[in-house]
């Protein structure tokens, strides 16, 4: 009798998984890197090919490419997509070398270690183990290493608009042995307030856009915050917002003729980009009715968007992929995993909303370490991540195809 595939540690070593993760971390892929994800995409592509995995580079923007790899199934089961982003945020003021991939206290440190090059390494190792073990899944297992999730999600938007499809998907954002079937939608908005410049010695001759921005912020806190507190979804949590930045004026001796407030709005199922935008527009309209010198408009922040908006994720808990993820985690940690509601926005929402692929978020590592000055991932979490993904392939791709 053939040895079951769900004993994955027979087919890889911790050392090679650590080496792979370190190699990924050592390749910068943030927005200020020349070519951004170009080098890491080529590394992943050639690494998979070296291990006899079918892999193709799909150019998305200039030199920036997705990596699409596939292990073909035998047609008796369901197909599964692994989705992970190859870009990272900037290293900011990291207190460790962001690209040394140093090992300390059983963890690998560096930018992208937990968000999400650790998950990429686990996905890649899972495909490689399938080849080594001789396991043939019932349906195709597809790896999509995508660009731009930290920006406009150009990579997954490309996947959604292509003919790449699967019966279900897992997005590898770190979830600390929990999993998410839902998360809030996310849109960034600019509120542009226009005033009238004048010399600061005669402020009465001008209209101060900064002061009007203060009025707008106060009215949002007064009128909108109480409404947001009443909005809640079982699987995504509360509807929330944040004032992120405010810029305005030209110099201290001139009344500010322009001020821009940039805000982040996280919204739940039942809300849409248009409905949340309308909440701010209503406040603008009321302020303009009260004061004819108040001039403002709201728009989606241009650099946050390609074409598709960023809706909430909501995958039914009754979907087979949810049961398969839960069982796979439980098999490894020997307790019932819980659903997390603290996950940020992810490309999972694009896959579910625009490609109708039931999607779950699960990945190795602790989300609270992402984007931090000492970002790191535990080696044990990487090993367990491969174990869980391998078991997931076993659980899901052997299910009979949907009729």
């Amino acid at each position: 009798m053939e040895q079951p595939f769900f004993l994955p540690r027979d087919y890889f070593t911790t050392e090679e998984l650590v080496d792979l993760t370190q190699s990924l971390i050592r390749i910068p892929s943030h927005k200020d890197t020349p070519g951004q994800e170009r080098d890491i995409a080529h590394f992943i592509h050639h690494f998979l090919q070296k291990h006899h995995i079918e892999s193709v580079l799909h150019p998305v923007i200039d030199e920036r490419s997705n990596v699409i790899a596939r292990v073909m199934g035998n047609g008796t089961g369901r197909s599964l997509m692994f989705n992970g982003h190859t870009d990272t945020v900037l290293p900011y003021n990291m207190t460790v070398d962001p690209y040394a991939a140093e090992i300390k206290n059983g963890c690998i440190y560096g930018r992208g270690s937990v968000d999400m090059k650790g998950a990429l390494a686990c996905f890649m190792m899972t495909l490689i183990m399938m080849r080594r073990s001789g396991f043939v899944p019932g349906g195709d297992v597809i790896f999509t290493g995508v660009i731009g999730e930290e920006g406009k999600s150009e990579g997954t938007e490309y996947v959604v608009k292509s003919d790449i499809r699967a019966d279900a998907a897992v997005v590898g954002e770190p979830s600390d042995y929990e999993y998410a079937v839902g998360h809030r939608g996310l849109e960034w908005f600019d509120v542009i307030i226009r005033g009238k410049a004048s010399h600061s010695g005669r402020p009465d001759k001008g209209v101060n856009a900064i002061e009007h921005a203060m009025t707008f912020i106060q009215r949002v806190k007064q009128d909108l915050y109480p409404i947001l507190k009443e909005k809640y979804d079982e699987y995504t949590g509360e509807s929330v917002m944040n004032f992120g930045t405010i810029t305005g004026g030209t110099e201290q001796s001139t009344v500010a003729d322009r001020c821009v407030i940039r805000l982040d709005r996280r919204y739940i199922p039942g809300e849409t980009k248009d409905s949340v935008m309308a909440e701010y527009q209503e406040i603008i309209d009321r302020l303009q009715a009260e004061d004819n010198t108040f001039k403002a408009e709201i728009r989606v922040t241009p650099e946050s968007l390609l074409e598709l908006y960023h809706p909430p994720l909501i995958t039914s808990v009754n979907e087979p992929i949810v049961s398969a993820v839960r069982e796979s985690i439980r098999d490894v940690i020997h307790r019932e995993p819980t659903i997390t509601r603290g996950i940020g926005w992810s490309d999972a929402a694009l896959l579910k909303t625009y490609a109708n692929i039931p999607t779950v978020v699960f990945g190795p590592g602790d989300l609270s370490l992402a984007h931090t000055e000492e970002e790191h991932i535990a080696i044990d979490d990487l090993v367990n991540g491969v174990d869980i993904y391998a078991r997931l392939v076993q659980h899901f791709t052997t299910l009979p195809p949907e009729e």
Side-chain angles (χ1 to χ4, degrees), residues 133-154:
S133 68
F135 176 82
V136 179
D140 293 357
V141 178
I142 306 156
F143 167 79
T144 55
V146 296
I147 70 167
E149 192 272 350
E150 300 289 0
K152 299 181 182 180
S153 288
E154 300 98 328

Side-chain angles (χ1 to χ4, degrees), residues 58-66 147 154-155 158 306:
H58 288 236
V60 179
I61 299 173
D62 299 326
E63 300 176 288
R64 302 168 63 196
S65 296
N66 287 346
I147 70 167
E154 300 98 328
Y158 174 94
L306 192 59

Side-chain angles (χ1 to χ4, degrees), residues 339-401:
I339 292 176
T340 179
R341 294 161 181 80
I343 206 85
W345 190 86
S346 77
D347 281 348
L350 298 182
L351 295 172
K352 178 61 172 64
T353 302
Y354 297 108
N356 197 30
I357 299 173
T359 304
V360 176
V361 178
F362 167 77
D366 183 346
L367 179 63
S368 69
L369 299 173
H371 302 191
T372 61
E373 295 178 349
E374 292 191 354
E375 182 178 351
H376 60 274
I377 189 166
I379 292 171
D380 285 348
D381 288 349
L382 291 170
V383 173
N384 288 338
V386 175
D387 201 346
I388 290 166
Y389 288 145
R391 292 168 189 264
L392 174 60
V393 169
Q394 166 75 13
H395 284 307
F396 188 76
T397 68
T398 53
L399 294 174

Side-chain angles (χ1 to χ4, degrees), residues 242-277:
N242 176 61
F243 292 109
T245 66
I246 181 168
T247 56
T250 55
E251 60 180 4
Q252 287 170 278
S253 294
T254 301
V255 171
D257 64 350
R258 189 174 187 270
C259 188
V260 179
I261 303 168
R262 291 198 147 176
L263 60 91
D264 174 305
R265 181 71 164 81
R266 311 281 170 141
Y267 57 102
I268 64 176
E271 299 182 286
T272 66
K273 182 273 296 184
D274 291 335
S275 72
V276 299
M277 199 171 184

Side-chain angles (χ1 to χ4, degrees), residues 17 26 31 78 83 175 231 280 293 311 328 347 391 398:
L17 178 60
R26 287 168 179 156
K31 67 181 182 67
R78 303 190 188 192
N83 175 278
S175 59
K231 297 183 179 184
Y280 300 105
T293 68
S328 301
D347 281 348
R391 292 168 189 264
T398 53

Side-chain angles (χ1 to χ4, degrees), residues 87-145:
D87 63 322
T88 72
V89 297
L90 290 158
Y92 303 119
N93 297 316
M94 293 191 71
T95 56
V96 297
D97 187 324
Y99 306 116
E102 181 182 1
I103 296 175
K104 296 189 297 183
N105 302 318
C107 298
I108 308 175
Y109 284 72
R111 178 56 82 224
S113 53
V114 76
D115 187 17
M116 55 182 294
K117 292 179 177 179
L120 291 174
C122 292
F123 286 151
M124 294 165 67
M125 192 58 65
T126 301
L127 298 185
I128 291 166
M129 284 191 310
M130 293 168 68
R131 280 283 182 252
R132 291 176 179 173
S133 68
F135 176 82
V136 179
D140 293 357
V141 178
I142 306 156
F143 167 79
T144 55

